[in-house]
């Protein structure tokens, strides 16, 4: 793999799904999950620093809420990548999305949450990359807890205690990420799990109304389960950040991006969870649109 290659960060799987079954066995590191925008940096073959978002390489003219313009001014990042051209830094560029309760001094900073070695094709252990990043003064996420043989309640408890970067008295963060550095799933992949705090899920419960249960088609079950309020608000916020504001002309983009995320990131889990169902994708797309409208009725 060449240094110039753009790498997409892994998809975090929901805890208690087939993809991360058994991740809690042994020692897990529990990290805060930030509600910003996914970003990463690396050194290109020409020796210049490069930056990316979740889905693409960035440029000065297309820089993901100011991230690339910020990166090229950071001497410590430039030195780090010059000294370690085989390492990619993945992290969160903290700009306003759904959560607006982070401290004022936390915004517009890059918080590394994983380091990938392109030579070995593997992620570094926290204990290893912490020492390296400290030497360059690079911000990173430290674990909230180290848990041995945990369960859902254990990790949910970590969620409810996650006040990392949150203003005093303003609740908790979005959730947590669970890493087991010895874990490989049944499909041969290294993957991390996530748990979203109940507070985050329930923040707009009254707006969305009560779900209807019983007699649902496969497509209805999929849409209601996977098109969450969390997903819709996150995509909406991402679009608003990219365009420096929101207007009704962006509604088709919102609908398209939610549909894209469902198909590209959740179909494998849908097939496993629902045991290879027959899916009418036209019907599913209509139902997805309906779920988006339920999650953000103020837009429609």
């Amino acid at each position: 793999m060449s240094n110039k290659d753009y790498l997409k960060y892994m998809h975090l799987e929901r805890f208690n799904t087939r993809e991360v079954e058994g991740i809690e066995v042994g020692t897990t590191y529990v990290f805060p999950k930030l509600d910003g925008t996914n970003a990463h940096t690396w050194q290109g073959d020409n020796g210049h620093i490069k930056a990316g978002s979740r889905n693409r390489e960035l440029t000065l003219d297309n820089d993901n809420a100011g991230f690339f313009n910020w990166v090229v001014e950071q001497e410590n990042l430039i030195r780090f990548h010059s000294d370690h051209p085989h390492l990619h830094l993945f992290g969160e560029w903290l700009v306003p999305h759904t959560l607006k309760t982070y401290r004022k001094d936390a915004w517009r900073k890059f918080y590394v949450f994983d380091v990938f070695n392109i030579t070995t094709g593997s992620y570094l252990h926290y204990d290893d990359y912490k020492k390296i990043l400290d030497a360059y003064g690079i911000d990173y996420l430290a674990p909230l807890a180290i848990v041995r043989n945990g369960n859902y309640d254990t990790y949910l408890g970590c969620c409810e205690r996650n006040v990392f970067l949150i203003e005093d008295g303003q609740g908790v963060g979005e959730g947590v990420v669970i890493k087991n550095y010895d874990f490989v799933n049944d499909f041969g992949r290294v993957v991390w799990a996530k748990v979203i705090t109940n507070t985050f899920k329930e923040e707009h419960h009254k707006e969305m109304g009560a779900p209807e249960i019983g007699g649902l088609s496969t497509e209805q079950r999929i849409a209601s389960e996977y098109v969450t309020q969390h997903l819709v608000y996150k995509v909406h916020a991402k679009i608003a950040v990219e365009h420096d504001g929101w207007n009704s002309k962006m509604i088709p983009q919102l609908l398209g991006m939610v549909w894209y995320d469902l198909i590209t990131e959740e179909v494998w889990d849908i097939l496993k969870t629902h045991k290879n169902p027959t899916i009418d994708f036209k019907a599913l797309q209509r139902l997805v649109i309906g779920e988006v409208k339920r999650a953000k009725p103020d837009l429609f």
Side-chain angles (χ1 to χ4, degrees), residues 86-252:
H86 58 297
L87 298 181
H88 282 233
L89 299 182
F90 288 96
E92 201 82 357
W93 173 235
L94 196 59
V95 289
H97 270 195
T98 306
L99 285 184
K100 307 296 193 301
T101 54
Y102 291 113
R103 299 195 314 259
K104 291 181 175 59
D105 62 347
W107 297 107
R108 303 196 71 79
K109 293 182 180 179
F110 180 49
Y111 299 91
V112 174
F113 51 60
D114 257 320
V115 180
F116 187 82
N117 186 328
I118 62 170
T119 302
T120 62
S122 60
Y123 290 95
L124 272 63
H125 193 289
Y126 168 77
D127 292 339
D128 294 326
Y129 70 71
K130 174 186 184 300
K131 301 172 186 176
I132 304 173
L133 299 184
D134 277 339
Y136 292 86
I138 295 172
D139 291 325
Y140 57 86
L141 302 183
L144 298 168
I146 299 174
V147 177
R148 292 174 178 83
N149 300 319
N151 56 37
Y152 179 75
D153 289 337
T154 305
Y155 299 123
L156 190 59
C158 292
C159 284
E160 301 301 341
R161 295 189 297 273
N162 172 23
V163 293
F164 179 67
L165 298 180
I166 300 292
E167 290 275 10
D168 289 345
Q170 294 298 311
V172 297
E174 178 183 356
V176 297
V177 174
I178 303 157
K179 301 181 187 179
N180 184 334
Y181 293 101
D182 297 320
F183 176 73
V184 177
N185 70 10
D186 290 341
F187 309 99
R189 295 199 304 120
V190 172
V191 63
W192 313 139
K194 64 182 177 182
V195 175
I196 303 301
T197 180
N198 284 336
T199 302
F200 193 89
K201 294 178 184 176
E202 294 166 0
E203 184 177 355
H204 301 280
H205 172 72
K206 290 182 179 179
E207 295 179 23
M208 298 177 67
E212 298 178 5
I213 301 173
L216 301 178
S217 68
T218 297
E219 292 79 14
Q220 287 173 318
R221 288 196 298 272
I222 292 170
S224 62
E225 180 179 353
Y226 288 89
V227 185
T228 62
Q229 176 265 333
H230 172 241
L231 171 62
V232 175
Y233 271 70
K234 198 167 188 72
V235 172
H236 172 266
K238 179 181 175 72
I239 294 171
V241 167
E242 289 180 348
H243 293 279
D244 294 321
W246 174 268
N247 64 65
S248 60
K249 293 180 181 179
M250 299 171 192
I251 289 176

Side-chain angles (χ1 to χ4, degrees), residues 2-59:
S2 170
N3 285 352
K4 69 181 180 181
D5 291 330
Y6 166 83
L7 299 177
K8 185 172 181 177
Y9 187 64
M10 71 168 75
H11 175 57
L12 299 176
E13 304 291 342
R14 289 175 296 170
F15 187 75
N16 277 341
T17 60
R18 183 73 177 86
E19 196 78 15
V20 288
E21 184 176 349
I23 194 172
E24 73 279 8
V25 178
T27 301
T28 56
Y29 285 62
V30 184
F31 293 85
K33 188 176 189 301
L34 296 184
D35 182 38
T37 184
N38 191 274
H40 87 277
T41 60
W42 72 100
Q43 179 167 282
D45 284 348
N46 59 4
H48 294 157
I49 195 168
K50 292 193 173 186
S53 66
R54 170 170 285 281
N55 295 307
R56 70 183 193 280
E57 183 176 331
L58 302 175
T59 66

